[in-house]
Amino acid sequence: MKNKKIAMLALEDGKVFRGYNFGAEGENTGEVVFNTGMTGYQEVLTDPSYHRQIVTMTYPLIGNYGINPEDFESDHPYVAGFVVKEYCPYPSNFRSTESLGDFLARYGIIGIEGIDTRELVRTLRNKGAMRGVISTVDLDPASLVAKAQASPPMVGADLASEVSTREPYYVVETPESLARHSELRHIKEYHAEFARISREEFERTPLPFVLAFDFGIKYNILRKLVARGVKVMVVPSRTTAAEVLALNPDGVFLSNGPGDPEAVGYAIETIRELAGKKPIFGICLGHQLLGLALGGKTFKLKFGHRGENQPVMDCTTCKVEISSQNHGFAVLPGSITEDDSVFTHLNLNDNTVEGLYSDRLKAFSVQYHPESSPGPHDSDYLFDRFIDLVKAETVRA
């Protein structure tokens, strides 16, 4: 360790952790959170829902299987910093194309290792997620704490518009697109398990049409949708209801994403206008936005749910699913004013709302990530449920 550069992590409550740098050097602020997954650090790093967050992994050894070009959940990492107990600089896996440290350095992400992550996680569980700063250039504890306290809070932040696509793009799974993907999949810069297509090819493809709002969408969501025989148009977060209805999709998908759902007022209004006109399925932030559109309220969780081991009960069947989750806000129980809406899923750790459904509006949502990348696949059926609604809409049309 003596040849490694010192790095520090400071929290807004005054606690400071000293460790060693890997990845990029520099300084950045963000909300400090923790993820309990034993695997999946690459998917965590590239999940846009972690935008402006410094992520701590509770599993002690990170980096042992490296990075590969096929497990990206977006086109680049979004985390504000990465904290681990022990970093493995020499990965051993047949799929690996570079080390975690080289990957972080390539994208300017600061990593810190060698701190007591158990103490850090206990602090976050007891006091809640906090603003923090990670630095290799300023090693003055008092200065770092002051920077953490001056950094912007997560409450009130519309981050969905910062990570959303600027232009629509089109995804479909056909023999032609799969052939193009087969040619591209081993290129380091090609990060999707699907091939994007032109608008002209999209319009020529005779499949049910799903329009997906990108509030921070993960690639595996798109993989799950197109694998079920639909074509998907991904649109910016600020796309209006009038624009959606003019395109006449057979179903509307509301994606995951970062930030405070109540700050995304434009999307709430759009969803409210679309409800009842098209089948709607929301995940994570999409779930929270649907809840707000149905008259509900949201609140910030103390330290959030982040990992692949959250037990959720489907209240309609009493079956329990082990789920993958990443969110810091939740829908307030009993706050929904839409008469037809019911809560369908419950988190068994803290009894928070994990699912909504309205039969009249043909809309449903879940707080967790059924695309499960990484994570268990207990919740795959939710995509089938949505596609059944979409195909029924296609028959009616």
Side-chain angles (χ1 to χ4, degrees):
M1 291 287 190
K2 64 181 181 180
N3 295 323
K4 291 192 175 184
K5 189 176 183 67
I6 299 295
M8 281 187 166
L9 172 70
L11 304 179
E12 63 176 291
D13 73 340
K15 189 177 286 290
V16 177
F17 297 85
R18 179 186 173 98
Y20 301 93
N21 172 239
F22 69 100
E25 298 180 14
E27 184 173 291
N28 206 1
T29 60
E31 182 183 50
V32 184
V33 299
F34 62 89
N35 183 292
T36 58
M38 294 177 66
T39 62
Y41 56 80
Q42 180 174 337
E43 291 89 337
V44 167
L45 291 166
T46 55
D47 180 353
S49 295
Y50 282 111
H51 179 51
R52 208 193 286 178
Q53 290 182 320
I54 298 171
V55 179
T56 305
M57 301 301 291
T58 62
Y59 191 72
L61 178 64
I62 300 294
N64 55 310
Y65 57 82
I67 298 288
N68 72 81
E70 294 179 18
D71 288 347
F72 279 63
E73 287 301 318
S74 64
D75 60 358
H76 64 85
Y78 277 90
V79 301
F82 200 46
V83 183
V84 304
K85 171 62 177 174
E86 181 180 351
Y87 162 60
C88 175
Y90 305 111
S92 177
N93 187 281
F94 74 98
R95 299 173 70 229
S96 176
T97 57
E98 66 181 321
S99 71
L100 171 60
D102 289 344
F103 170 73
L104 294 180
R106 184 155 61 93
Y107 285 100
I109 306 295
I110 306 163
I112 181 172
E113 66 159 328
I115 72 169
D116 188 344
T117 52
R118 295 171 299 178
E119 180 185 358
L120 174 57
V121 170
R122 183 179 290 272
T123 298
L124 298 177
R125 283 185 61 90
N126 289 339
K127 296 185 178 181
M130 283 183 267
R131 292 171 294 171
V133 58
I134 185 170
S135 182
T136 65
V137 294
D138 181 355
L139 303 180
D140 176 14
S143 171
L144 290 175
V145 170
K147 290 176 182 177
Q149 294 170 343
S151 64
M154 190 62 68
V155 173
D158 169 19
L159 303 185
S161 60
E162 295 183 12
V163 302
S164 179
T165 182
R166 297 295 178 257
E167 299 291 336
Y169 62 92
Y170 309 89
V171 183
V172 71
E173 189 174 276
T174 63
E176 293 78 16
S177 67
L178 288 173
R180 286 198 297 271
H181 164 62
S182 181
E183 295 173 1
L184 294 169
R185 64 185 299 173
H186 297 298
I187 300 174
K188 182 181 288 188
E189 287 72 29
Y190 186 74
H191 300 323
E193 287 279 340
F194 51 80
R196 301 184 189 191
I197 61 173
S198 68
R199 178 165 186 167
E200 292 72 24
E201 186 177 355
F202 180 84
E203 292 175 345
R204 290 196 305 267
T205 304
L207 293 173
F209 167 22
V210 170
L211 182 142
F213 277 90
D214 178 12
F215 303 120
I217 199 164
K218 293 173 67 179
Y219 282 166
N220 207 45
I221 290 171
L222 297 175
R223 297 176 192 125
K224 295 284 186 179
L225 290 172
V226 298
R228 284 166 169 78
V230 299
K231 57 182 182 180
V232 181
M233 177 182 182
V234 183
V235 299
S237 62
R238 291 184 177 272
T239 302
T240 66
E243 290 170 327
V244 172
L245 294 173
L247 291 165
N248 195 30
D250 300 306
V252 173
F253 177 78
L254 312 173
S255 85
N256 61 292
D260 184 345
E262 292 191 2
V264 196
Y266 52 88
I268 298 167
E269 183 58 35
T270 294
I271 296 165
R272 189 175 289 130
E273 293 179 36
L274 291 174
K277 298 182 176 71
K278 298 290 180 181
I280 296 176
F281 177 30
I283 287 176
C284 197
L285 179 64
H287 158 81
Q288 298 156 12
L289 294 174
L290 178 63
L292 290 166
L294 297 178
K297 298 182 183 300
T298 57
F299 67 99
K300 194 173 190 303
L301 294 164
K302 185 176 181 180
F303 49 80
H305 304 146
R306 298 176 180 89
E308 300 109 52
N309 53 1
Q310 293 278 335
V312 171
M313 184 172 72
D314 183 340
C315 300
T316 64
T317 63
C318 290
K319 292 183 178 179
V320 176
E321 308 161 25
I322 302 302
S323 66
S324 178
Q325 303 206 7
N326 171 22
H327 58 269
F329 291 81
V331 176
L332 187 67
S335 66
I336 302 293
T337 59
E338 169 60 41
D339 291 340
D340 178 57
S341 299
V342 295
F343 295 123
T344 58
H345 294 73
L346 185 72
N347 188 299
L348 296 182
N349 284 336
D350 60 8
N351 294 324
T352 51
V353 174
E354 293 277 1
L356 295 169
Y357 175 70
S358 170
D359 183 62
R360 183 178 68 83
L361 299 178
K362 298 178 290 185
F364 73 102
S365 62
V366 290
Q367 179 69 86
Y368 51 99
H369 283 264
E371 82 284 354
S372 302
S373 184
H377 298 157
D378 300 24
S379 310
D380 246 13
Y381 69 92
L382 292 165
F383 287 99
D384 297 327
R385 179 181 296 175
F386 177 55
I387 297 305
D388 286 345
L389 289 174
V390 168
K391 291 183 176 178
E393 187 76 6
T394 307
V395 170
R396 280 193 291 270

